Amino acid sequence: MVEKGFKNAALEWMVCTVKDVKTVLTELRTGKKFTGTHHETFLMRKEQAEAVRLTHDYYRSRWAEDKHAVPRFLWNAKMRFGKTFTSYQLAKKLGAKRVLVVTFKPAVEDAWQTDLESHVDFDGWQYLSKSSGRDPTQIDKKKPVVYFGSFQDLLGRDRATGAIKTRNEWLHEVNWDLVVFDEYHFGAWRDTAKELFEGEEEAEAKQEAKLEYTADLAEVNDDLDVLSEKETDFLPITTKAYLYLSGTPFKALATGEFIEEQIFNWTYTDEQRVKEEHAQYHPDQWNPYGALPQMRLLTYQMPDELLAIANAGQFDEFDLNEFFAATGTGKAAKFKHKDDVQKWLDIIRGSYMPKAVEHLKTGTKPPFPYSDSRLLPYLQHSFWFLPNVASCQAMANLLTAKHNVFWHDYTVVAAAGASAGIGLEALPPVRKAIGSGFDSKTITLSCGKLTTGVTVAQWSSILMLRNLKSPETYFQAAFRVQSPWSIKNPNGDNPNEEEVLKPACFVFDFAPTRALRQLSEYGIGLSPNEPNPGNAVKDLVSFLPVLAYDGANMTQIDAGGILDIAMAGTSATLLARKWESALLVNVDNDTLRRVLNDAEALAAVERIEGWRSLGDNVIETIINKSEKIKALKKKAQEGKLTDKEKKQLTEEEKEFKSKRKMVQEKLIKFATRIPAFMYLTDFRENTLQDVITKIEPDLFRVVTGLTVKDFHLLVRLKVFNTEQMNQAVFAFRRYEDASLRYTGIESHEGLTHYGLYDTVVAKD
């Protein structure tokens, strides 16, 4: 310690940190000298090494084909994969000296800095960011450097000149070896932010979103409207390769932006599978996945008397936002349906009298969250996700009311509203209430705070008490409770021993149809290359068991049952909307160029009904306008744009977006003809592709206006997205057969398979 220059306070006492001590101990153990606080020596896990190998091999294969190529690779990896550490290992394998990390979420900076500055593999590497305060032009150029920045900062312009911010000019002059895009969603991030924080009051929501994603969201959004824009178009830098990281890259996967050989997948299902396999094949060894709890979803059908007051929407679903609606603030906050919410509180602890009589008659008692002895340990510390600030405060008031004696055992923390603090400021009261977690009981109430970027190991269950639209947002919140809670070396005599305190975690949901729709969409979204949506869901629920309470019994349901319930909440209107989805068609510049360069494809799209009304050479016009806009934006970045050119840029962008939208609408209009064709044709066992090609091609041309050859050509050029079509056909088939069976008609007796677009799946 003296040799390292630490101050000798008195006798053998030195002034240093715990990390400094760990570094010295690592040096003694390894016989090597390290700079700073590099002390961690753990190795990559198998899947991390595989991600590095696959990515490195792909980069090299592209460079072998074309030494000027700039390859792109996507890691579809759930949280706790270790993306920061693994990204640095990839950079090291590439021999990268200049690494740029860009993200929408500046909150993740701590992990990027800690991993680089604590692991011995990156000894001597330099870390820079806007907050580090170091002058990037004064660093040691012989040593590797990592710069961390946000999209918002790097893309932001000087408002007066429109040029790149002066402090960032050096970034655009460096030739980077690797650029890493962290939390890559291209658009989904802002939707998630909006949905997560919409329960907060407007000013609060803006502050929360700003903390999570920083400012200038709208400005950056304009630059990232088109999924497959080339990176240099929105981030004018030079690099040898790009790496994309995301836990929910549904949009990128669905649009075919990355082909199979450009993707490494590490999902919740993969994690739980290796956890199980490791325990099975290496029972005597420490399981590196052992502390990662299995998630379980329990859904509850509410009694009819409660359903009646909060039924809403075309599916007649239990509307959580209406049920938990509240008014007032602080101690004056109260529920609109206070008596019914009280009944709900009684139900979840198994003491609702009308139901108690029914249970006596049936001889069964369903596992309600706060009454079943098997579930109670996982509800010692729970997270209740409510619609808004008023409902959080009303719930806090109701739980602490004198007559609710049962709930007085729990410390209730209302992490909502301005009084709870912004961002991480809301965390200390939760940590204080939980303490060690062993001798306390807590309920954290939130409508957006603490749903991203925080780890509270003791949270073992989440009660979903609000409507969430997207599966990404739903599971981002749900995965808050999947963080590990364990004690390593509990007896002090075996470093390989680990006591897992949370082997499972629970999601409790009281709107079953909506919950299972989210689950099925999440499973399908994670497996876009799986032609059978049923298999995608089956794979997920093999490690995420689903139990559903139907008002009498609690039963485990399989993938088929989940899809049936999810579709049961579907109407013909919603199915029709699937065929009006922008995801069915791709109108990015790359796709349009492929069409423009293929005379047959160009002739085919021109045969689509209404195409002529778009004007002559519409695709060429869109591409030319795109190039003109890029040139003007580049000029703007250099601060050379005249007022006349600024006006021209605005007009060109407006026309460009308008024409692209019109092309998209015409292609979608064609896609909406396919359900009409499916109604008219009488074939079910074949794939839709077979029906079109071999059996009824003339009918297809009459109904849709395109020949079979035209359609296949456009599918091959990725104008139409076959993965999305498979999902839409699958939903259509299930819904149609269920509707007919309901009326006592079997659509096709002895039917064993459904035909999708380009595959066949078993009916059951």
Side-chain angles (χ1 to χ4, degrees), residues 56-91:
H56 185 253
D57 288 353
Y58 176 73
Y59 287 166
R60 290 190 57 168
S61 70
R62 287 287 291 115
W63 289 326
E65 291 169 14
D66 174 5
K67 64 180 181 181
H68 299 298
V70 183
R72 322 158 77 233
F73 203 94
L74 170 68
W75 289 356
N76 167 24
K78 78 172 283 288
M79 62 178 194
R80 311 207 195 285
F81 167 70
K83 61 188 175 184
T84 53
F85 171 67
T86 315
S87 298
Y88 287 146
Q89 291 291 358
L90 173 65

Side-chain angles (χ1 to χ4, degrees), residues 9 95 154 164 172 207 212 217 289 312 353 428 465 479 523 545 580 660 668 716:
L154 302 185
I164 293 164
H172 302 271
Q207 280 186 285
E212 182 70 5
L217 298 186
Y289 314 94
M353 286 313 293
L465 309 178
F479 276 121
E580 293 166 6
R660 190 193 289 281
I668 290 170
R716 197 171 73 246

Side-chain angles (χ1 to χ4, degrees), residues 130-408:
K130 181 181 172 183
S131 58
S132 68
R134 295 175 64 189
D135 182 349
T137 60
Q138 302 301 311
I139 57 170
D140 186 337
K141 292 182 180 175
K142 293 177 185 175
K143 293 180 179 179
V145 62
V146 172
Y147 186 87
F148 176 94
S150 72
F151 269 107
Q152 294 87 326
D153 183 40
L154 302 185
L155 283 174
R157 306 271 176 248
D158 186 303
R159 292 192 185 278
T161 65
I164 293 164
K165 292 173 184 173
T166 309
R167 69 167 182 271
N168 290 332
E169 283 178 1
W170 72 277
L171 276 164
H172 302 271
E173 294 164 6
V174 173
N175 293 318
W176 299 93
D177 296 314
L178 179 66
V179 172
V180 182
F181 289 142
D182 188 19
E183 293 297 339
Y184 167 71
H185 301 81
F186 268 93
W189 50 272
R190 65 179 182 279
D191 300 331
T192 300
K194 188 178 177 185
E195 193 176 355
L196 275 176
F197 301 123
E198 69 183 358
E200 297 281 350
E201 282 145 11
E202 193 176 347
E204 289 291 303
K206 281 181 179 173
Q207 280 186 285
E208 291 287 353
K210 187 177 174 182
L211 263 181
E212 182 70 5
Y213 299 98
T214 78
D216 305 322
L217 298 186
E219 184 186 321
V220 176
N221 178 30
D222 285 341
D223 287 332
L224 301 177
D225 262 349
V226 183
L227 252 168
S228 67
E229 254 339 341
K230 292 287 178 285
E231 289 82 1
T232 47
D233 292 340
F234 58 79
L235 194 64
I237 51 172
T238 55
T239 183
K240 292 178 183 172
Y242 289 102
L243 175 67
Y244 293 81
L245 310 174
S246 178
T248 51
F250 293 173
K251 224 173 188 179
L253 292 173
T255 52
E257 190 190 346
F258 295 89
I259 58 174
E260 205 168 334
E261 63 181 29
Q262 289 174 277
I263 303 169
F264 170 78
N265 294 299
W266 185 255
T267 64
Y268 165 80
T269 308
D270 297 319
E271 170 201 279
Q272 292 296 313
R273 185 179 287 116
V274 296
K275 172 185 168 182
E276 203 172 82
E277 287 170 355
H278 195 284
Q280 184 180 344
Y281 297 115
H282 309 287
D284 301 327
Q285 294 178 18
W286 173 69
N287 188 341
Y289 314 94
L292 293 164
Q294 186 189 76
M295 190 175 271
R296 296 169 190 176
L297 173 62
L298 273 65
T299 70
Y300 296 85
Q301 184 73 44
M302 288 290 94
D304 292 343
E305 62 265 34
L306 296 193
L307 285 176
I309 65 144
N311 270 4
Q314 58 185 320
F315 313 134
D316 210 25
E317 288 179 353
F318 186 52
D319 185 339
L320 292 164
N321 287 8
E322 170 58 28
F323 186 78
F324 291 105
T327 56
T329 57
K331 293 293 179 187
K334 63 178 181 179
F335 286 112
K336 179 179 168 185
H337 309 290
K338 186 177 178 181
D339 290 348
D340 298 293
V341 174
Q342 179 64 59
K343 287 175 189 172
W344 175 82
L345 283 175
D346 293 339
I347 286 169
I348 64 170
R349 67 183 187 92
S351 65
Y352 183 50
M353 286 313 293
K355 281 290 162 191
V357 174
E358 284 181 28
H359 300 152
L360 284 171
K361 288 178 182 176
T362 58
T364 60
K365 191 177 180 184
F368 284 112
Y370 285 88
S371 69
D372 191 279
S373 59
R374 293 163 296 179
L375 295 176
L376 276 170
Y378 298 97
L379 285 140
Q380 193 168 343
H381 302 286
S382 61
F383 186 96
W384 292 19
F385 201 16
L386 286 144
N388 52 43
V389 176
S391 55
C392 289
Q393 292 173 344
M395 185 63 80
N397 295 338
L398 191 56
L399 290 171
T400 53
K402 283 184 181 179
H403 65 275
N404 274 320
V405 179
F406 172 86
W407 300 103
H408 294 177

Side-chain angles (χ1 to χ4, degrees), residues 659-697:
K659 286 198 179 296
R660 190 193 289 281
K661 182 80 175 164
M662 286 157 66
V663 166
Q664 186 182 56
E665 284 169 356
K666 292 297 178 210
L667 291 170
I668 290 170
K669 190 175 180 182
F670 162 80
T672 60
R673 296 294 177 86
I674 293 179
F677 171 71
M678 289 162 63
Y679 270 118
L680 291 169
T681 184
D682 197 37
F683 295 94
R684 286 294 180 274
E685 278 199 90
N686 306 78
T687 67
L688 181 60
Q689 190 175 24
D690 277 347
V691 174
I692 295 167
T693 312
K694 300 170 187 170
I695 305 165
E696 299 196 22

Side-chain angles (χ1 to χ4, degrees), residues 38 75 82-91 99-119 122 125-129 146-149 178-184 243-246:
H38 293 87
W75 289 356
K83 61 188 175 184
T84 53
F85 171 67
T86 315
S87 298
Y88 287 146
Q89 291 291 358
L90 173 65
V99 180
L100 177 63
V101 178
V102 192
T103 182
F104 282 119
K105 296 176 72 172
V108 300
E109 178 175 358
D110 182 58
W112 285 99
Q113 184 170 0
T114 302
D115 278 9
L116 193 77
E117 294 180 346
S118 64
H119 201 284
F122 314 118
W125 287 50
Q126 303 166 95
Y127 180 85
L128 291 173
S129 73
V146 172
Y147 186 87
F148 176 94
L178 179 66
V179 172
V180 182
F181 289 142
D182 188 19
E183 293 297 339
Y184 167 71
L243 175 67
Y244 293 81
L245 310 174
S246 178

Side-chain angles (χ1 to χ4, degrees), residues 435-509:
S436 67
F438 297 112
D439 49 8
S440 59
K441 290 181 180 181
T442 65
I443 293 170
T444 303
L445 309 173
S446 170
C447 58
K449 293 186 200 297
L450 308 180
T451 48
T452 64
V454 300
T455 300
V456 178
Q458 294 89 348
W459 280 342
S460 305
S461 57
I462 180 168
L463 276 67
M464 290 291 192
L465 309 178
R466 65 177 282 186
N467 299 337
L468 288 170
K469 301 177 196 79
S470 74
E472 292 99 320
T473 316
Y474 188 93
F475 282 94
Q476 184 172 339
F479 276 121
R480 283 305 102 206
V481 301
Q482 211 236 340
S483 53
W485 185 22
S486 65
I487 302 172
K488 288 179 180 170
N489 197 2
N491 301 309
D493 55 5
N494 182 0
N496 286 329
E497 189 182 347
E498 182 175 25
E499 185 180 345
V500 177
L501 302 168
K502 191 166 81 178
C505 59
F506 289 82
V507 179
F508 297 103
D509 203 305

